[in-house]
Amino acid sequence: ESPNPEDKNRKFIISYSLAKDEMQIYEPHQRNAGIIEGKFLEYSQVRKPGSSVDNPEYYTPADFAIGATIEVFSRKFKIADCDLYVLKYLEANASKFPEATIASIRAIHADKL
């Protein structure tokens, strides 16, 4: 999400490392985009907005429901899609994740199941 119209069609990929509880964000190359694509964020833990330095709350996989918005360095990213592996992992470990997150991902993959 961005107030800048030129950002409307930009797509970023967010990768989350379950082993380290860290994420990275990058923008894949798009032909004739007129912008410089690439890495936005190296793998790191990202504090949620409003959490304190003394008692930080970090993003976890539970926060990445389809339609959710995450904020990183005052930039907002709306979660629009994920691969089928994510759904299979969440379903296999359903006790660790909110049902709403799993349901949102299941809905976008309904035609592939």
Side-chain angles (χ1 to χ4, degrees), residues 21-77:
D21 283 328
E22 295 179 336
M23 70 169 123
Q24 77 168 349
I25 303 173
Y26 69 94
E27 185 174 17
H29 176 73
Q30 297 177 34
R31 281 179 52 94
N32 300 323
I35 54 171
I36 299 173
E37 303 93 351
K39 203 171 289 184
F40 177 82
L41 175 73
E42 294 272 351
Y43 270 109
S44 59
Q45 287 187 312
V46 178
R47 225 175 49 226
K48 291 182 181 181
S51 71
S52 70
V53 175
D54 298 330
N55 190 19
E57 185 178 347
Y58 298 102
Y59 284 108
T60 69
D63 298 307
F64 293 90
I66 302 300
T69 300
I70 63 165
E71 188 173 329
V72 180
F73 304 130
S74 300
R75 307 260 197 222
K76 293 182 180 181
F77 297 89

